[in-house]
Amino acid sequence: MADAGSLQQTQLIQRLTHVCRYDRLERPFEYDSDGKRLPIVVKTRIYVYFLQNLNSDLLQFKMHALLQLRFQDKRLAYKAFNRSDNILGQKHLSERLWLPHIFFANERESSILGTDEKDVLTSLSPEGNVIISTRMQASLYCWMNFQKFPFDQQFCSTVLESWMYNTSDLILEWEPHTPISFDPEMRLTEYNMAQFWHNTTIVESDGDNLRHGAFAGNYSSLSFTVNLKREIGFYLLDYYLPSMMIVAISWVSFWLQADASPPRIMLGTSTMLSFITLSSSQSKNLPKVSYIKVSEVWFLGCTFFIFGSLVEFAFVNTIWRRKENIELKKVNSKYIIKSTLTPRPARRQIGGSLSNESRARSCSSLDNIVSSTESVRNGNGTVNQGFNNYLTVHPNLPIIRTECAEADTVSICSARTNNDHIVDVDKDKKDTPPTFTTMTPQEIAMWIDRRSRFLFPAMFLAFNALYWTFVYVL
């Protein structure tokens, strides 16, 4: 092959790869000055067409990229044979050459070095430099942490390793200039790529770690990692804002009357079910993890406020149905809640009921009075038994009329004479200035509802402040 300029590319390739001078199963040889065999260096570059959104449920992502491998095989050099142009070919050319066996260590499925003609491009230079460019589509595993969901950021790596040759035979290296590049038109819908970086490592394989089959040794590995931050605009508009509105709707029950059981129960249960449905629709695509996510903290907080409105209704409805008034030392939250939770008989109620009963008997005693004399003598001095059941009234005695006036809590009885002079029967038992305030159960129920209208929103605003502070501190 003294002159290769007159040969066609197919003829040149056939002569360069003839079995008499080229073995495609044998890696290229390279020796140092001492005659020691050196490992072949494979330069790598990746151009990413686009990244598909992360699949949180399966913990994987898809990537469409162009993988380019470059190495030198001096057995294929033809510069000395008067030919300077590059040889280009597709799959049929790569099948005649030795190629490094590279695989994705974290792949679920991939089409690296694909079988289609359009997926592989092979370039051979006069110096023996071989460039294999392969279009590929790969589904890669990515471990994700959802503790901060939906304010999380994920770090997903693409790991390439040598399968057959260890570091004594083959070393993988990144290209010195722009080893990782992305299509300028690439866009992500749910994530924003903050940054990316690449690494070169060595993977150890032994009898315990069968990462590379039965071959022990150190294997060269390349990786590049992308940092993806989740965009929260979707979750703010479709999760957080609707959940706030649902919680606020549950507070409408505080403006309804405490005995309006059907509308208040329906409002509480419907808001609870609506919020649970909203939360489940957001988390159904997430894996079942054992730790608590930030979104679950929000779910528990909102559920607490909706459930609290139902508990508040049950509490005020129970108070509304009580029949006894409640005496309070002061009209404030401390005494109202304390007297409501631990009701005791009113102090004045016990004493007042006893005095009312005695006064009622004293006022009605004249109706059943009987003369202390067993009989009334007539003018002849004989006893007339027929007058035993009548009261004898002398004309010279003053006429006593008994009147009873009911006050709020004490009965007052007085006697009037025919001279209109008032004689107080209970002169020493007049009312003292009240020291307790009496409230009906209905008044207490409405008082609790009025306080709840301001207490629940204030507590929810405090919960919001703590939640968003906690999110951004993390």
Side-chain angles (χ1 to χ4, degrees):
M1 198 172 60
D3 187 6
S6 61
L7 297 177
Q8 297 180 354
Q9 287 191 2
T10 304
Q11 294 174 341
L12 180 58
I13 291 299
Q14 289 176 351
R15 293 187 181 186
L16 290 175
T17 59
H18 195 274
V19 293
C20 295
R21 64 181 307 273
Y22 185 85
D23 185 3
R24 65 180 303 267
L25 299 180
E26 186 73 28
R27 73 174 182 86
F29 297 103
E30 189 171 351
Y31 300 91
D32 59 6
S33 58
D34 298 332
K36 182 180 178 181
R37 190 174 181 179
L38 299 176
I40 184 173
V41 177
V42 178
K43 300 290 186 177
T44 307
R45 176 184 283 121
I46 291 182
Y47 180 85
V48 180
Y49 296 110
F50 73 92
L51 292 175
Q52 192 172 0
N53 282 336
L54 303 182
N55 192 331
S56 302
D57 190 17
L58 300 178
L59 299 178
Q60 68 179 18
F61 69 101
K62 290 184 178 181
M63 178 179 64
H64 289 201
L66 174 67
L67 176 63
Q68 187 179 92
L69 304 176
R70 182 174 65 89
F71 60 94
Q72 187 178 30
D73 191 349
K74 293 182 178 180
R75 297 173 298 176
L76 300 175
Y78 55 89
K79 185 176 182 181
F81 303 116
N82 299 324
R83 186 153 184 164
S84 60
D85 59 331
N86 294 335
I87 299 176
L88 300 177
Q90 296 182 351
K91 181 182 176 183
H92 66 278
L93 177 56
S94 63
E95 289 178 347
R96 304 180 67 94
L97 306 179
W98 175 89
L99 299 177
H101 193 166
I102 308 300
F103 74 102
F104 287 103
N106 60 330
E107 69 176 357
R108 293 285 179 87
E109 59 180 357
S110 66
S111 60
I112 184 172
L113 300 179
T115 57
D116 294 338
E117 291 285 338
K118 64 179 182 179
D119 291 331
V120 180
L121 175 63
T122 305
S123 174
L124 179 61
S125 70
E127 293 80 10
N129 293 322
V130 181
I131 299 177
I132 306 296
S133 300
T134 305
R135 294 178 60 193
M136 64 176 189
Q137 176 181 354
S139 296
L140 304 174
Y141 172 79
C142 176
W143 174 250
M144 305 177 192
N145 190 340
F146 297 99
Q147 284 185 334
K148 299 180 182 179
F149 176 83
F151 308 94
D152 57 326
Q153 54 179 334
Q154 306 299 338
F155 300 89
C156 295
S157 300
T158 302
V159 183
L160 294 91
E161 294 182 11
S162 172
W163 171 253
M164 184 180 300
Y165 301 100
N166 56 26
T167 54
S168 61
D169 295 325
L170 186 145
I171 295 179
L172 292 175
E173 293 182 359
W174 289 112
E175 288 281 2
H177 302 290
T178 62
I180 309 296
S181 56
F182 295 86
D183 188 349
E185 301 298 326
M186 187 185 71
R187 297 291 184 271
L188 296 173
T189 56
E190 189 176 350
Y191 292 90
N192 179 27
M193 189 173 64
Q195 57 182 339
F196 65 92
W197 59 90
H198 56 84
N199 295 313
T200 302
T201 58
I202 300 297
V203 178
E204 182 180 357
S205 179
D206 52 21
D208 296 331
N209 181 15
L210 299 179
R211 188 184 185 96
H212 298 80
F215 301 99
N218 296 326
Y219 290 82
S220 182
S221 174
L222 301 177
S223 66
F224 76 94
T225 305
V226 292
N227 177 211
L228 302 176
K229 292 185 178 180
R230 193 186 300 270
E231 296 287 347
I232 64 172
F234 169 79
Y235 295 93
L236 289 177
L237 295 178
D238 284 44
Y239 180 61
Y240 285 98
L241 185 59
S243 61
M244 292 179 186
M245 297 176 64
I246 291 175
V247 173
I249 289 173
S250 67
W251 301 336
V252 175
S253 63
F254 301 147
W255 273 264
L256 300 178
Q257 195 162 302
D259 62 341
S261 300
R264 295 189 71 161
I265 292 177
M266 183 187 68
L267 185 62
T269 53
S270 61
T271 52
M272 177 69 77
L273 294 176
S274 300
F275 180 69
I276 292 176
T277 303
L278 175 65
S279 300
S280 61
S281 65
Q282 296 295 333
S283 60
K284 65 180 179 180
N285 294 326
L286 297 178
K288 278 64 178 177
V289 295
S290 58
Y291 50 81
I292 298 178
K293 301 186 288 291
V294 171
S295 60
E296 293 175 340
V297 175
W298 177 264
F299 170 78
L300 294 175
C302 294
T303 304
F304 170 78
F305 282 99
I306 298 175
F307 180 75
S309 64
L310 286 171
V311 173
E312 192 271 350
F313 157 69
F315 183 63
V316 298
N317 185 261
T318 302
I319 297 173
W320 184 280
R321 290 183 283 108
R322 290 181 182 177
K323 298 182 180 180
E324 297 83 6
N325 296 344
I326 298 176
E327 290 190 351
L328 306 171
K329 187 175 181 180
K330 293 181 180 179
V331 182
N332 56 27
S333 304
K334 174 183 177 182
Y335 291 101
I336 289 179
I337 300 299
K338 182 178 179 181
S339 301
T340 304
L341 294 177
T342 57
R344 293 177 298 177
R347 299 181 181 179
R348 292 192 300 143
Q349 185 177 355
I350 300 176
S353 60
L354 295 176
S355 61
N356 291 342
E357 184 179 357
S358 60
R359 291 187 182 92
R361 287 198 299 267
S362 64
C363 292
S364 60
S365 60
L366 292 177
D367 295 334
N368 299 323
I369 192 170
V370 181
S371 175
S372 59
T373 58
E374 295 293 337
S375 61
V376 179
R377 296 181 180 275
N378 57 15
N380 298 326
T382 61
V383 178
N384 189 354
Q385 299 294 335
F387 293 94
N388 289 340
N389 295 329
Y390 294 93
L391 175 65
T392 302
V393 180
H394 297 276
N396 295 329
L397 295 177
I399 299 175
I400 300 175
R401 292 176 299 174
T402 304
E403 297 178 357
C404 293
E406 292 292 337
D408 291 340
T409 56
V410 182
S411 299
I412 302 175
C413 297
S414 60
R416 294 177 180 269
T417 62
N418 55 350
N419 296 325
D420 293 331
H421 295 289
I422 300 176
V423 180
D424 292 335
V425 178
D426 293 332
K427 184 177 182 180
D428 297 333
K429 298 181 181 180
K430 291 183 178 180
D431 287 339
T432 58
T435 58
F436 285 81
T437 301
T438 302
M439 292 182 68
T440 63
Q442 291 73 23
E443 291 175 342
I444 293 179
M446 291 187 292
W447 183 89
I448 295 175
D449 273 340
R450 286 194 299 269
R451 294 301 185 274
S452 299
R453 297 171 191 172
F454 301 97
L455 179 62
F456 273 71
M459 292 175 61
F460 189 66
L461 290 176
F463 168 72
N464 271 269
L466 291 175
Y467 178 81
W468 294 108
T469 302
F470 173 75
V471 165
Y472 285 102
V473 166
L474 285 180

